[in-house]
Amino acid sequence: MDLTTLRDLYDRQLRLGARPDGPGARVERDGPVVRQTGPAHGWNGVLWSGLGPDDADAAIAAQIRHYASAGHRTFEWKAYGHDRPADLPARLEAAGFTAEDRETLMVAEAAALSVPGELPEGVELREVTDAAGVALLVRVREQAFGTDGSDLGRRLIDQLADAPDSFAAVVALHDGEPVSAARLELPPDSDFAGLCGGGTVEAWRGRGIYRALVAHRARVAAARGYRYLQVDARDTSRPILRRLGFEALTTTTPYIHEAGAGV
């Protein structure tokens, strides 16, 4: 893969040409900024920006005003390592944003990863197709990451009702108990399907479930006609993904703005 060309394709399709990721969301272009605005339990934030040193601060301030006027207490500016100006992170922090952990945007060809992974004995996969499946997935997320999954649960219920083909999700069960879960975002008119939400409860880590869920989602993506898988990889998953054949395109850092910050 020509990684520079692939990164440019990613930017064009999933950032500049982004589609709403759920019911009630809309993607808007505000001059040099592409953003998503939606319900409070959805993802709200800046997807792409083409800023220079002379207009960056004004564009940042405009987004803060926009989300405040829309009634959102928080929103995210998703900054990539190749975004300009080079001091964009410092400008965001000066405007009241707080950086979360940096991740690595990694990609691989879906067909190359679709070989079935081996699950531990007694573990089976179940597709998420209803509210009961969403509840199992949310339980895994909360146990694996220690975060509240109620907003995620609401988003997935909305998607199942209004756009069931926009994602796929799977839960790994042992004796009926959820031990791991993962999602696959399936944006329309794109070469990239997105791995997200992969998590395993602590007692089941290191047994190959994560790799098996990557392979499962790769088969789904390839069957749906997607050429590439992309993922924002944490430090914990990056070595596993690299061994599976993923390559790094750039880094991405969520910058979070809370209402009242920087004003």
Side-chain angles (χ1 to χ4, degrees):
M1 293 183 290
D2 180 331
L3 296 183
T4 299
T5 300
L6 198 56
R7 189 186 71 189
D8 291 344
L9 180 65
Y10 174 93
D11 280 349
R12 289 198 305 273
Q13 291 189 352
L14 296 185
R15 301 181 70 198
L16 271 164
R19 303 288 187 89
D21 70 356
R26 63 188 184 276
V27 172
E28 308 159 317
R29 181 146 194 168
D30 180 23
V33 170
V34 177
R35 68 189 178 214
Q36 176 169 290
T37 307
H41 62 274
W43 186 88
N44 288 275
V46 172
L47 294 154
W48 179 88
S49 63
L51 305 177
D54 296 331
D55 63 353
D57 292 336
I60 292 168
Q63 303 319 305
I64 293 172
R65 292 194 299 271
H66 165 75
Y67 285 105
S69 67
H72 292 301
R73 292 193 55 80
T74 66
F75 75 96
E76 176 183 328
W77 191 301
K78 192 169 184 178
Y80 290 73
H82 59 288
D83 285 348
R84 295 292 180 265
D87 64 349
L88 178 61
R91 291 173 185 262
L92 291 171
E93 290 178 346
F97 288 79
T98 300
E100 296 193 337
D101 291 341
R102 186 173 66 178
E103 298 175 328
T104 302
L105 174 62
M106 306 185 78
V107 296
E109 293 199 16
L113 300 177
S114 59
V115 177
E118 185 175 348
L119 289 165
E121 184 176 354
V123 174
E124 62 177 0
L125 300 185
R126 180 183 300 174
E127 299 287 344
V128 173
T129 59
D130 55 21
V134 170
L136 292 173
L137 183 148
V138 168
R139 193 196 312 176
V140 169
R141 177 184 175 86
E142 293 180 337
Q143 292 178 357
F145 300 117
T147 57
D148 178 31
S150 56
D151 281 350
L152 171 63
R154 290 182 64 188
R155 291 200 301 272
L156 295 181
I157 291 294
D158 288 349
Q159 284 183 268
L160 282 173
D162 293 346
D165 292 335
S166 66
F167 81 107
V170 63
V171 178
L173 300 170
H174 181 263
D175 289 339
E177 285 296 311
V179 297
S180 187
R183 308 192 315 278
L184 178 69
E185 296 296 335
L186 299 165
D189 303 320
S190 174
D191 292 302
F192 299 87
L195 302 181
C196 56
T200 303
V201 300
E202 187 172 1
W204 284 87
R205 293 173 186 165
R207 304 193 193 188
I209 300 177
Y210 180 88
R211 291 189 296 275
L213 291 184
V214 170
H216 174 83
R217 288 176 288 172
R219 292 195 299 277
V220 173
R224 302 273 188 103
Y226 291 87
R227 182 173 180 184
Y228 301 108
L229 293 177
Q230 60 88 10
V231 57
D232 290 342
R234 299 167 179 256
D235 288 345
T236 51
S237 57
R238 189 171 62 245
I240 302 172
L241 292 166
R242 185 178 293 115
R243 289 194 295 270
L244 291 175
F246 282 80
E247 296 191 68
L249 287 186
T250 185
T251 60
T252 177
T253 304
Y255 284 84
I256 307 300
H257 192 275
E258 302 279 348
V263 298

